[in-house]
Amino acid sequence: MSLSDHTLPSLETVQTLVRAAGQAELLPRFNRIGHTVKSDGSILTEADLAVDHRLRDALARCWPDIGFLSEEMDAAEQRALLADHSRPLWCLDPLDGTSNFAACLPLFAISLTLLEAGEPRLAVTYDPVRDECFSAVRGGGAWLHQDGATLRLGTRYFHVPLSRSVALVDLKRLPAQLAGRLAQSPPYGSQRNLGSCALEWAWLAAGRGHVYLHGGQKLWDLAAGSLLLSEAGGRAETLDGGELRCRGTGPHSAVAALDPDLFRSWRAWLHGPDGVGVRRTLS
């Protein structure tokens, strides 16, 4: 089974399913439940599993011929699903920003992507706290749906210089040499880390922040966001200058910006005379 523009699942239906899961499964549990620690050190809550089960069942009912991959599956099952290109595949992060959720910080999202042969075709990222739904269709654009209104993403280029930009940067997964250089001599005006890759990608596509850097994301962290940014007109690549692709579970580094000129300045700084450590990254 393959997809064409005419057989893509209805974006409106996908948004409805994801939004319902966030409203019914995440918000009632926020600030009310505990968590456990998985074998890889990451946090798992009851909310992750509730969203995972709800969307797995709902997507199977609506599109039984499309496979399903989730962050909550074991690694062997994930690899087997990604190796099979005979049918498209839903890729779900049921709760991106679980650490924030468990710490009662209101920065988390559901991220869902439709992949075909490793390429994102449709994406939805939903922030239930703000009731903001970001969506994209490859070749069709990216949007933000909020308060009954729809905003086409990609119209908010601030054209700020790198020296005055707000950077979304996760320092802890970067090579020590690069992290130290950024800490001691940052090229940007200020730096943030939201603790949710899905929200960082979506906010960047919406013009909230200017440049982005992350040292190691999994497939479900970047699949939806990379499509959102691409369809909004932004640019992204790995730290060593390679193409950012949704193949395998990762980890993958990411350098990005919505403004193409700012992206070039950001990339030039990272690969400048002092940036040789960039080539020793996860990519």
Side-chain angles (χ1 to χ4, degrees), residues 95-101 105 107-109 168-170 172-173 192-200 212 214 221:
L95 176 50
D96 184 73
T98 304
S99 295
N100 285 346
F101 187 91
L105 294 172
L107 290 166
F108 51 86
L168 302 174
V169 177
D170 182 344
K172 72 178 182 180
R173 293 177 176 85
R192 312 283 188 274
N193 176 24
L194 301 183
S196 166
C197 296
L199 282 186
E200 288 171 340
Y212 187 51
H214 199 287
D221 295 320

PDB file of all heavy atoms in Angstrom, residues 95-101 105 107-109 168-170 172-173 192-200 212 214 221:
ATOM      1  N   LEU A  95       3.395  11.505  24.651  1.00  0.00           N
ATOM      2  CA  LEU A  95       3.584  12.607  25.600  1.00  0.00           C
ATOM      3  C   LEU A  95       5.031  13.061  25.498  1.00  0.00           C
ATOM      4  O   LEU A  95       5.918  12.531  26.156  1.00  0.00           O
ATOM      5  CB  LEU A  95       3.246  12.168  27.028  1.00  0.00           C
ATOM      6  CG  LEU A  95       3.476  13.183  28.163  1.00  0.00           C
ATOM      7  CD1 LEU A  95       2.839  14.533  27.854  1.00  0.00           C
ATOM      8  CD2 LEU A  95       2.956  12.633  29.482  1.00  0.00           C
ATOM      9  N   ASP A  96       5.275  14.030  24.652  1.00  0.00           N
ATOM     10  CA  ASP A  96       6.617  14.585  24.517  1.00  0.00           C
ATOM     11  C   ASP A  96       6.772  15.689  25.563  1.00  0.00           C
ATOM     12  O   ASP A  96       5.991  16.644  25.582  1.00  0.00           O
ATOM     13  CB  ASP A  96       6.833  15.151  23.119  1.00  0.00           C
ATOM     14  CG  ASP A  96       8.258  15.630  22.946  1.00  0.00           C
ATOM     15  OD1 ASP A  96       9.153  14.775  22.844  1.00  0.00           O
ATOM     16  OD2 ASP A  96       8.478  16.861  22.945  1.00  0.00           O
ATOM     17  N   GLY A  97       7.786  15.544  26.410  1.00  0.00           N
ATOM     18  CA  GLY A  97       7.918  16.441  27.546  1.00  0.00           C
ATOM     19  C   GLY A  97       7.415  15.773  28.819  1.00  0.00           C
ATOM     20  O   GLY A  97       6.864  16.434  29.698  1.00  0.00           O
ATOM     21  N   THR A  98       7.623  14.455  28.910  1.00  0.00           N
ATOM     22  CA  THR A  98       7.128  13.720  30.074  1.00  0.00           C
ATOM     23  C   THR A  98       7.751  14.233  31.371  1.00  0.00           C
ATOM     24  O   THR A  98       7.085  14.291  32.409  1.00  0.00           O
ATOM     25  CB  THR A  98       7.405  12.216  29.916  1.00  0.00           C
ATOM     26  OG1 THR A  98       6.832  11.753  28.696  1.00  0.00           O
ATOM     27  CG2 THR A  98       6.795  11.425  31.062  1.00  0.00           C
ATOM     28  N   SER A  99       9.034  14.601  31.332  1.00  0.00           N
ATOM     29  CA  SER A  99       9.673  15.134  32.530  1.00  0.00           C
ATOM     30  C   SER A  99       8.985  16.415  32.990  1.00  0.00           C
ATOM     31  O   SER A  99       8.787  16.633  34.192  1.00  0.00           O
ATOM     32  CB  SER A  99      11.164  15.389  32.282  1.00  0.00           C
ATOM     33  OG  SER A  99      11.848  14.187  32.029  1.00  0.00           O
ATOM     34  N   ASN A 100       8.629  17.274  32.033  1.00  0.00           N
ATOM     35  CA  ASN A 100       7.877  18.481  32.381  1.00  0.00           C
ATOM     36  C   ASN A 100       6.528  18.117  33.000  1.00  0.00           C
ATOM     37  O   ASN A 100       6.119  18.678  34.018  1.00  0.00           O
ATOM     38  CB  ASN A 100       7.635  19.333  31.135  1.00  0.00           C
ATOM     39  CG  ASN A 100       8.876  20.075  30.679  1.00  0.00           C
ATOM     40  OD1 ASN A 100       9.861  20.175  31.403  1.00  0.00           O
ATOM     41  ND2 ASN A 100       8.831  20.597  29.463  1.00  0.00           N
ATOM     42  N   PHE A 101       5.838  17.179  32.348  1.00  0.00           N
ATOM     43  CA  PHE A 101       4.525  16.743  32.822  1.00  0.00           C
ATOM     44  C   PHE A 101       4.616  16.229  34.259  1.00  0.00           C
ATOM     45  O   PHE A 101       3.805  16.593  35.122  1.00  0.00           O
ATOM     46  CB  PHE A 101       3.994  15.649  31.894  1.00  0.00           C
ATOM     47  CG  PHE A 101       2.582  15.213  32.162  1.00  0.00           C
ATOM     48  CD1 PHE A 101       1.517  15.832  31.520  1.00  0.00           C
ATOM     49  CD2 PHE A 101       2.310  14.172  33.031  1.00  0.00           C
ATOM     50  CE1 PHE A 101       0.212  15.427  31.750  1.00  0.00           C
ATOM     51  CE2 PHE A 101       1.012  13.756  33.266  1.00  0.00           C
ATOM     52  CZ  PHE A 101      -0.047  14.389  32.625  1.00  0.00           C
ATOM     53  N   LEU A 105       5.226  21.074  35.043  1.00  0.00           N
ATOM     54  CA  LEU A 105       5.544  22.191  34.156  1.00  0.00           C
ATOM     55  C   LEU A 105       4.653  22.089  32.918  1.00  0.00           C
ATOM     56  O   LEU A 105       4.644  21.057  32.244  1.00  0.00           O
ATOM     57  CB  LEU A 105       7.013  22.143  33.740  1.00  0.00           C
ATOM     58  CG  LEU A 105       8.037  22.362  34.853  1.00  0.00           C
ATOM     59  CD1 LEU A 105       9.444  22.102  34.339  1.00  0.00           C
ATOM     60  CD2 LEU A 105       7.942  23.777  35.407  1.00  0.00           C
ATOM     61  N   LEU A 107       4.510  22.367  29.798  1.00  0.00           N
ATOM     62  CA  LEU A 107       5.143  22.374  28.478  1.00  0.00           C
ATOM     63  C   LEU A 107       5.277  20.924  28.015  1.00  0.00           C
ATOM     64  O   LEU A 107       6.263  20.247  28.309  1.00  0.00           O
ATOM     65  CB  LEU A 107       6.514  23.051  28.529  1.00  0.00           C
ATOM     66  CG  LEU A 107       6.521  24.561  28.761  1.00  0.00           C
ATOM     67  CD1 LEU A 107       7.921  25.032  29.136  1.00  0.00           C
ATOM     68  CD2 LEU A 107       6.024  25.302  27.519  1.00  0.00           C
ATOM     69  N   PHE A 108       4.278  20.443  27.285  1.00  0.00           N
ATOM     70  CA  PHE A 108       4.279  19.072  26.790  1.00  0.00           C
ATOM     71  C   PHE A 108       3.300  18.985  25.627  1.00  0.00           C
ATOM     72  O   PHE A 108       2.478  19.887  25.421  1.00  0.00           O
ATOM     73  CB  PHE A 108       3.918  18.072  27.892  1.00  0.00           C
ATOM     74  CG  PHE A 108       2.661  18.398  28.646  1.00  0.00           C
ATOM     75  CD1 PHE A 108       1.416  17.993  28.184  1.00  0.00           C
ATOM     76  CD2 PHE A 108       2.716  19.123  29.831  1.00  0.00           C
ATOM     77  CE1 PHE A 108       0.254  18.295  28.881  1.00  0.00           C
ATOM     78  CE2 PHE A 108       1.560  19.432  30.540  1.00  0.00           C
ATOM     79  CZ  PHE A 108       0.328  19.015  30.062  1.00  0.00           C
ATOM     80  N   ALA A 109       3.388  17.923  24.847  1.00  0.00           N
ATOM     81  CA  ALA A 109       2.560  17.821  23.645  1.00  0.00           C
ATOM     82  C   ALA A 109       2.430  16.369  23.201  1.00  0.00           C
ATOM     83  O   ALA A 109       3.232  15.508  23.579  1.00  0.00           O
ATOM     84  CB  ALA A 109       3.163  18.649  22.509  1.00  0.00           C
ATOM     85  N   LEU A 168      16.744  28.221  20.795  1.00  0.00           N
ATOM     86  CA  LEU A 168      16.213  27.049  21.492  1.00  0.00           C
ATOM     87  C   LEU A 168      17.295  25.978  21.424  1.00  0.00           C
ATOM     88  O   LEU A 168      17.511  25.377  20.363  1.00  0.00           O
ATOM     89  CB  LEU A 168      14.923  26.578  20.834  1.00  0.00           C
ATOM     90  CG  LEU A 168      13.800  27.622  20.758  1.00  0.00           C
ATOM     91  CD1 LEU A 168      12.618  27.084  19.955  1.00  0.00           C
ATOM     92  CD2 LEU A 168      13.355  28.036  22.150  1.00  0.00           C
ATOM     93  N   VAL A 169      17.995  25.765  22.533  1.00  0.00           N
ATOM     94  CA  VAL A 169      19.183  24.906  22.542  1.00  0.00           C
ATOM     95  C   VAL A 169      19.131  23.954  23.730  1.00  0.00           C
ATOM     96  O   VAL A 169      18.901  24.371  24.870  1.00  0.00           O
ATOM     97  CB  VAL A 169      20.481  25.745  22.623  1.00  0.00           C
ATOM     98  CG1 VAL A 169      21.707  24.835  22.700  1.00  0.00           C
ATOM     99  CG2 VAL A 169      20.595  26.682  21.426  1.00  0.00           C
ATOM    100  N   ASP A 170      19.356  22.675  23.455  1.00  0.00           N
ATOM    101  CA  ASP A 170      19.523  21.667  24.502  1.00  0.00           C
ATOM    102  C   ASP A 170      21.023  21.400  24.630  1.00  0.00           C
ATOM    103  O   ASP A 170      21.617  20.738  23.778  1.00  0.00           O
ATOM    104  CB  ASP A 170      18.770  20.395  24.126  1.00  0.00           C
ATOM    105  CG  ASP A 170      18.857  19.309  25.185  1.00  0.00           C
ATOM    106  OD1 ASP A 170      19.733  19.415  26.059  1.00  0.00           O
ATOM    107  OD2 ASP A 170      18.053  18.370  25.145  1.00  0.00           O
ATOM    108  N   LYS A 172      22.741  19.693  26.971  1.00  0.00           N
ATOM    109  CA  LYS A 172      23.256  18.493  27.622  1.00  0.00           C
ATOM    110  C   LYS A 172      23.590  17.365  26.657  1.00  0.00           C
ATOM    111  O   LYS A 172      24.372  16.477  27.004  1.00  0.00           O
ATOM    112  CB  LYS A 172      22.273  18.001  28.686  1.00  0.00           C
ATOM    113  CG  LYS A 172      21.004  17.371  28.147  1.00  0.00           C
ATOM    114  CD  LYS A 172      20.134  16.870  29.298  1.00  0.00           C
ATOM    115  CE  LYS A 172      18.873  16.199  28.800  1.00  0.00           C
ATOM    116  NZ  LYS A 172      18.031  15.718  29.922  1.00  0.00           N
ATOM    117  N   ARG A 173      23.031  17.355  25.456  1.00  0.00           N
ATOM    118  CA  ARG A 173      23.308  16.275  24.513  1.00  0.00           C
ATOM    119  C   ARG A 173      24.341  16.661  23.467  1.00  0.00           C
ATOM    120  O   ARG A 173      24.587  15.914  22.528  1.00  0.00           O
ATOM    121  CB  ARG A 173      22.005  15.826  23.837  1.00  0.00           C
ATOM    122  CG  ARG A 173      21.027  15.166  24.803  1.00  0.00           C
ATOM    123  CD  ARG A 173      19.727  14.805  24.110  1.00  0.00           C
ATOM    124  NE  ARG A 173      18.811  14.098  24.997  1.00  0.00           N
ATOM    125  CZ  ARG A 173      17.971  14.689  25.841  1.00  0.00           C
ATOM    126  NH1 ARG A 173      17.930  16.016  25.904  1.00  0.00           N
ATOM    127  NH2 ARG A 173      17.172  13.982  26.607  1.00  0.00           N
ATOM    128  N   ARG A 192      17.001  29.328  25.351  1.00  0.00           N
ATOM    129  CA  ARG A 192      15.932  28.637  26.061  1.00  0.00           C
ATOM    130  C   ARG A 192      16.025  27.133  25.771  1.00  0.00           C
ATOM    131  O   ARG A 192      16.564  26.712  24.762  1.00  0.00           O
ATOM    132  CB  ARG A 192      14.541  29.108  25.609  1.00  0.00           C
ATOM    133  CG  ARG A 192      14.342  30.606  25.551  1.00  0.00           C
ATOM    134  CD  ARG A 192      14.147  31.221  26.924  1.00  0.00           C
ATOM    135  NE  ARG A 192      13.765  32.615  26.811  1.00  0.00           N
ATOM    136  CZ  ARG A 192      14.613  33.627  26.702  1.00  0.00           C
ATOM    137  NH1 ARG A 192      15.914  33.397  26.684  1.00  0.00           N
ATOM    138  NH2 ARG A 192      14.183  34.875  26.615  1.00  0.00           N
ATOM    139  N   ASN A 193      15.450  26.347  26.674  1.00  0.00           N
ATOM    140  CA  ASN A 193      15.246  24.918  26.442  1.00  0.00           C
ATOM    141  C   ASN A 193      13.897  24.562  27.033  1.00  0.00           C
ATOM    142  O   ASN A 193      13.717  24.606  28.249  1.00  0.00           O
ATOM    143  CB  ASN A 193      16.354  24.089  27.088  1.00  0.00           C
ATOM    144  CG  ASN A 193      16.120  22.602  26.951  1.00  0.00           C
ATOM    145  OD1 ASN A 193      15.413  22.154  26.051  1.00  0.00           O
ATOM    146  ND2 ASN A 193      16.705  21.816  27.846  1.00  0.00           N
ATOM    147  N   LEU A 194      12.916  24.223  26.196  1.00  0.00           N
ATOM    148  CA  LEU A 194      11.555  23.982  26.661  1.00  0.00           C
ATOM    149  C   LEU A 194      11.380  22.624  27.318  1.00  0.00           C
ATOM    150  O   LEU A 194      10.425  22.415  28.063  1.00  0.00           O
ATOM    151  CB  LEU A 194      10.570  24.100  25.488  1.00  0.00           C
ATOM    152  CG  LEU A 194      10.526  25.426  24.733  1.00  0.00           C
ATOM    153  CD1 LEU A 194       9.439  25.377  23.670  1.00  0.00           C
ATOM    154  CD2 LEU A 194      10.317  26.601  25.674  1.00  0.00           C
ATOM    155  N   GLY A 195      12.259  21.685  27.033  1.00  0.00           N
ATOM    156  CA  GLY A 195      12.081  20.345  27.574  1.00  0.00           C
ATOM    157  C   GLY A 195      11.112  19.497  26.784  1.00  0.00           C
ATOM    158  O   GLY A 195      10.746  18.401  27.220  1.00  0.00           O
ATOM    159  N   SER A 196      10.696  19.967  25.627  1.00  0.00           N
ATOM    160  CA  SER A 196       9.817  19.211  24.729  1.00  0.00           C
ATOM    161  C   SER A 196      10.249  19.483  23.299  1.00  0.00           C
ATOM    162  O   SER A 196      10.056  20.594  22.790  1.00  0.00           O
ATOM    163  CB  SER A 196       8.354  19.614  24.914  1.00  0.00           C
ATOM    164  OG  SER A 196       7.551  19.124  23.849  1.00  0.00           O
ATOM    165  N   CYS A 197      10.854  18.494  22.651  1.00  0.00           N
ATOM    166  CA  CYS A 197      11.298  18.679  21.266  1.00  0.00           C
ATOM    167  C   CYS A 197      10.135  19.023  20.349  1.00  0.00           C
ATOM    168  O   CYS A 197      10.258  19.866  19.460  1.00  0.00           O
ATOM    169  CB  CYS A 197      11.988  17.414  20.762  1.00  0.00           C
ATOM    170  SG  CYS A 197      13.505  16.992  21.631  1.00  0.00           S
ATOM    171  N   ALA A 198       8.994  18.351  20.563  1.00  0.00           N
ATOM    172  CA  ALA A 198       7.836  18.587  19.697  1.00  0.00           C
ATOM    173  C   ALA A 198       7.398  20.047  19.750  1.00  0.00           C
ATOM    174  O   ALA A 198       7.107  20.660  18.718  1.00  0.00           O
ATOM    175  CB  ALA A 198       6.687  17.675  20.107  1.00  0.00           C
ATOM    176  N   LEU A 199       7.348  20.619  20.949  1.00  0.00           N
ATOM    177  CA  LEU A 199       6.963  22.023  21.069  1.00  0.00           C
ATOM    178  C   LEU A 199       8.036  22.941  20.513  1.00  0.00           C
ATOM    179  O   LEU A 199       7.719  23.977  19.899  1.00  0.00           O
ATOM    180  CB  LEU A 199       6.682  22.369  22.522  1.00  0.00           C
ATOM    181  CG  LEU A 199       5.339  21.938  23.099  1.00  0.00           C
ATOM    182  CD1 LEU A 199       5.175  22.490  24.513  1.00  0.00           C
ATOM    183  CD2 LEU A 199       4.179  22.395  22.222  1.00  0.00           C
ATOM    184  N   GLU A 200       9.288  22.614  20.710  1.00  0.00           N
ATOM    185  CA  GLU A 200      10.359  23.475  20.188  1.00  0.00           C
ATOM    186  C   GLU A 200      10.298  23.560  18.662  1.00  0.00           C
ATOM    187  O   GLU A 200      10.402  24.649  18.091  1.00  0.00           O
ATOM    188  CB  GLU A 200      11.712  22.953  20.662  1.00  0.00           C
ATOM    189  CG  GLU A 200      11.939  23.211  22.145  1.00  0.00           C
ATOM    190  CD  GLU A 200      13.174  22.529  22.696  1.00  0.00           C
ATOM    191  OE1 GLU A 200      13.671  21.568  22.072  1.00  0.00           O
ATOM    192  OE2 GLU A 200      13.636  22.953  23.767  1.00  0.00           O
ATOM    193  N   TYR A 212      17.676  26.940  16.368  1.00  0.00           N
ATOM    194  CA  TYR A 212      17.458  25.711  17.117  1.00  0.00           C
ATOM    195  C   TYR A 212      18.697  24.837  17.042  1.00  0.00           C
ATOM    196  O   TYR A 212      19.385  24.786  16.006  1.00  0.00           O
ATOM    197  CB  TYR A 212      16.265  24.959  16.524  1.00  0.00           C
ATOM    198  CG  TYR A 212      15.824  23.736  17.298  1.00  0.00           C
ATOM    199  CD1 TYR A 212      15.578  23.799  18.660  1.00  0.00           C
ATOM    200  CD2 TYR A 212      15.639  22.523  16.655  1.00  0.00           C
ATOM    201  CE1 TYR A 212      15.158  22.685  19.373  1.00  0.00           C
ATOM    202  CE2 TYR A 212      15.217  21.402  17.348  1.00  0.00           C
ATOM    203  CZ  TYR A 212      14.982  21.488  18.713  1.00  0.00           C
ATOM    204  OH  TYR A 212      14.564  20.384  19.425  1.00  0.00           O
ATOM    205  N   HIS A 214      19.961  20.859  18.754  1.00  0.00           N
ATOM    206  CA  HIS A 214      19.760  19.710  19.641  1.00  0.00           C
ATOM    207  C   HIS A 214      20.765  18.632  19.255  1.00  0.00           C
ATOM    208  O   HIS A 214      20.985  18.379  18.067  1.00  0.00           O
ATOM    209  CB  HIS A 214      18.335  19.174  19.506  1.00  0.00           C
ATOM    210  CG  HIS A 214      17.890  18.317  20.643  1.00  0.00           C
ATOM    211  ND1 HIS A 214      18.366  17.040  20.833  1.00  0.00           N
ATOM    212  CD2 HIS A 214      17.025  18.546  21.660  1.00  0.00           C
ATOM    213  CE1 HIS A 214      17.806  16.513  21.918  1.00  0.00           C
ATOM    214  NE2 HIS A 214      16.983  17.407  22.445  1.00  0.00           N
ATOM    215  N   ASP A 221      10.756  12.319  18.136  1.00  0.00           N
ATOM    216  CA  ASP A 221      10.993  13.685  18.582  1.00  0.00           C
ATOM    217  C   ASP A 221      11.002  14.673  17.425  1.00  0.00           C
ATOM    218  O   ASP A 221      10.644  15.843  17.595  1.00  0.00           O
ATOM    219  CB  ASP A 221      12.346  13.799  19.304  1.00  0.00           C
ATOM    220  CG  ASP A 221      12.406  13.015  20.599  1.00  0.00           C
ATOM    221  OD1 ASP A 221      11.397  13.028  21.335  1.00  0.00           O
ATOM    222  OD2 ASP A 221      13.448  12.395  20.878  1.00  0.00           O
TER     223      ASP A 221
END
